[in-house]
Amino acid sequence: MPHVQLINELLGLQGWEVFEVGIEGEDITVSMVRSEGTGYRCGGCGQSFLWAYDHGRERRVRDFPAWGRRCWISFTPARVACPDCGVHVEALDWIERSQRQTLRYEKYIAQLCTLLPVTDVADLEGLDKNTVYRIDRKWLTRRDELRVA
């Protein structure tokens, strides 16, 4: 399927491959699986491993919108048995631990907050205003830390 390869390249998530794309109402869902031969990183200490202990349940996280539609990424994270800190869900470069949005979507929300009031961003994106406040505060704090450094 050529469209799956195109979406794979557009997403650019290293170590992951698109295996299915679906449209449900106004939402696009991209289902991802691990690429063959990719390693895992411990979510506790960041140590690398070649194999997973097992896999958790399927997760669905919000990603950057496309074609005027909300986009979701569906994937099954692995758990690793780290000898230093025990069994942890793998660390991923594109989503922070326990978050329901990708980093690229959070950056998009933070950019919108520089242009619009938080309540307008929440209405525009269909998010809870507290979620938008949390994302905005997080990225403002990161910007301040970069200025100080």
Side-chain angles (χ1 to χ4, degrees):
M1 287 189 207
H3 72 279
V4 170
Q5 291 172 338
L6 176 63
I7 292 172
N8 216 18
E9 287 181 36
L10 289 171
L11 285 173
L13 301 178
Q14 296 294 321
W16 293 86
E17 294 179 14
V18 174
F19 76 88
E20 185 177 57
V21 178
I23 298 175
E24 301 168 18
E26 291 297 313
D27 294 354
I28 298 171
T29 301
V30 178
S31 298
M32 310 278 297
V33 293
R34 267 282 183 197
S35 301
E36 292 271 332
T38 56
Y40 306 91
R41 281 187 308 124
C42 174
C45 65
Q47 188 171 303
S48 296
F49 296 93
L50 294 175
W51 58 90
Y53 174 75
D54 66 6
H55 287 79
R57 63 175 201 248
E58 185 177 25
R59 289 192 61 198
R60 188 173 179 226
V61 296
R62 185 91 178 259
D63 194 30
F64 193 78
W67 304 289
R69 296 174 184 253
R70 288 183 298 204
C71 291
W72 300 87
I73 295 178
S74 177
F75 67 102
T76 304
R79 294 190 322 151
V80 296
C82 179
D84 297 334
C85 56
V87 177
H88 283 279
V89 174
E90 68 176 315
L92 299 170
D93 294 334
W94 46 277
I95 185 170
E96 289 184 341
R97 186 176 181 183
S98 302
Q99 295 302 307
R100 294 186 177 131
Q101 303 84 220
T102 61
L103 287 171
R104 108 175 104 216
Y105 185 62
E106 285 188 0
K107 288 177 188 177
Y108 169 71
I109 294 298
Q111 280 298 116
L112 283 178
C113 287
T114 65
L115 303 171
L116 300 168
V118 168
T119 52
D120 289 350
V121 173
D123 288 342
L124 180 68
E125 288 299 309
L127 295 170
D128 179 68
K129 69 177 182 173
N130 292 326
T131 300
V132 178
Y133 277 122
R134 179 188 53 77
I135 291 169
D136 189 34
R137 273 194 307 270
K138 175 171 132 180
W139 288 94
L140 286 172
T141 301
R142 288 184 180 185
R143 286 183 210 142
D144 288 346
E145 289 170 357
L146 287 174
R147 276 192 211 124
V148 173

